[in-house]
């Protein structure tokens, strides 16, 4: 099975770094009143014989520094997962919103560390489920609420642009599995998954 992972944000980061090469980083870092936008775009594709699977996700964020160390913000997300069996295909997609708060330990530094607490809500339209024997066709909507604690860092390549990386440390989610009497799935996780570090580009206004 061939897997392809496209990190578009990495290309953006290199482009921003080159474009801002001559710009001073004297004013790099964050301070009270700063506004920033960030996010990541990912695409995964795999193929085995006539079976294909594609996954796409985009999740932009915007935040505001209420103090030198504390930032609050909002997030929106869209994701789509499509499987193609050759003779048929099915798609699961979802849209969600969330809110987050961050505490920066080194806000004025070119290299900034932060802890993040976030909550989010996702609504999904499901056309298939994955089972131990393959995929089964379904048709239901589900709602997922989640809360997570994570950590991350920003590295400023110019006074306005930084590369951002983050990892989840503690998380909880509950999935109603379509409701209508279905049992909910509650999930709890602890410990950073260092194989699932997220990368993004951050622009400071």
């Amino acid at each position: 099975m061939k897997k392809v992972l496209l990190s578009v944000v990495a290309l953006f980061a290199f482009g921003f770094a080159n474009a801002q090469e001559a710009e001073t980083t004297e004013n790099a870092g964050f301070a009270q009143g700063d506004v920033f936008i960030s996010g990541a775009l990912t695409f995964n594709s795999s193929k085995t014989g006539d079976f294909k699977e594609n996954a796409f996700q985009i999740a932009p964020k915007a935040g505001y520094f209420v103090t030198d160390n504390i930032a609050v913000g909002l997030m929106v997300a869209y994701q789509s997962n499509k499987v193609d069996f050759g003779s048929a295909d099915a798609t699961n997609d979802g849209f969600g919103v969330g809110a987050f708060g961050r505490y920066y330990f080194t806000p004025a530094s070119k290299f900034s560390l932060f802890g993040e607490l976030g909550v989010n809500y996702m609504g999904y339209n499901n056309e298939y489920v994955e089972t131990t024997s393959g995929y089964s066709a379904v048709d239901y909507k589900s709602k997922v609420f989640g809360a997570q604690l994570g950590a991350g860092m920003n590295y400023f390549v110019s006074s306005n642009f930084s590369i951002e990386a983050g990892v989840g440390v503690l998380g909880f989610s509950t999935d109603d599995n379509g409701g209508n009497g279905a049992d909910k799935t509650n999930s709890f996780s602890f410990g950073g998954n260092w194989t699932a570090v997220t990368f993004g580009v951050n622009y400071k206004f």
Side-chain angles (χ1 to χ4, degrees):
M1 180 172 65
K2 182 179 179 182
K3 293 186 176 181
V4 180
L5 173 61
L6 300 179
S7 286
V8 176
V9 293
L11 297 178
F12 285 156
F14 284 118
F16 291 147
N18 291 332
Q20 302 293 326
E21 184 176 2
E23 184 178 346
T24 178
T25 57
E26 182 180 351
N27 297 318
F30 296 108
Q32 183 178 4
D34 283 346
V35 176
F36 67 87
I37 56 173
S38 65
L41 172 67
T42 60
F43 175 77
N44 295 274
S45 178
S46 64
K47 183 177 186 296
T48 304
D50 291 332
F51 176 80
K52 300 177 183 178
E53 183 174 9
N54 294 305
F56 168 82
Q57 182 176 26
I58 183 170
K61 288 182 176 182
Y64 173 76
F65 275 81
V66 295
T67 72
D68 284 343
N69 294 87
I70 298 174
V72 295
L74 298 174
M75 176 272 293
V76 294
Y78 173 78
Q79 66 180 55
S80 173
N81 299 279
K82 181 178 181 180
V83 293
D84 187 342
F85 301 93
S87 59
D89 59 64
T91 301
N92 290 349
D93 58 17
F95 179 80
V97 295
F100 65 91
R102 290 181 177 180
Y103 183 86
Y104 281 78
F105 297 93
T106 53
S109 172
K110 181 178 178 181
F111 182 79
S112 300
L113 302 174
F114 64 84
E116 178 177 304
L117 176 64
V119 294
N120 58 71
Y121 167 86
M122 291 287 294
Y124 293 93
N125 295 311
N126 302 284
E127 293 185 351
Y128 72 88
V129 293
E130 185 176 3
T131 66
T132 55
S133 59
Y135 292 90
S136 297
V138 295
D139 183 12
Y140 72 94
K141 299 179 185 296
S142 61
K143 301 170 185 173
V144 179
F145 172 81
Q148 56 283 324
L149 180 67
M153 63 180 182
N154 290 98
Y155 178 76
F156 279 85
V157 296
S158 76
S159 59
N160 295 101
F161 286 105
S162 68
I163 301 170
E164 183 174 298
V167 64
V169 177
L170 183 67
F172 171 80
S173 67
T174 178
D175 186 341
D176 72 351
N177 291 314
N180 298 319
D183 291 334
K184 292 183 178 180
T185 300
N186 297 318
S187 303
F188 176 80
S189 61
F190 175 74
N193 181 359
W194 300 105
T195 65
V197 177
T198 60
F199 293 94
V201 173
N202 187 303
Y203 180 78
K204 180 189 73 174
F205 294 90

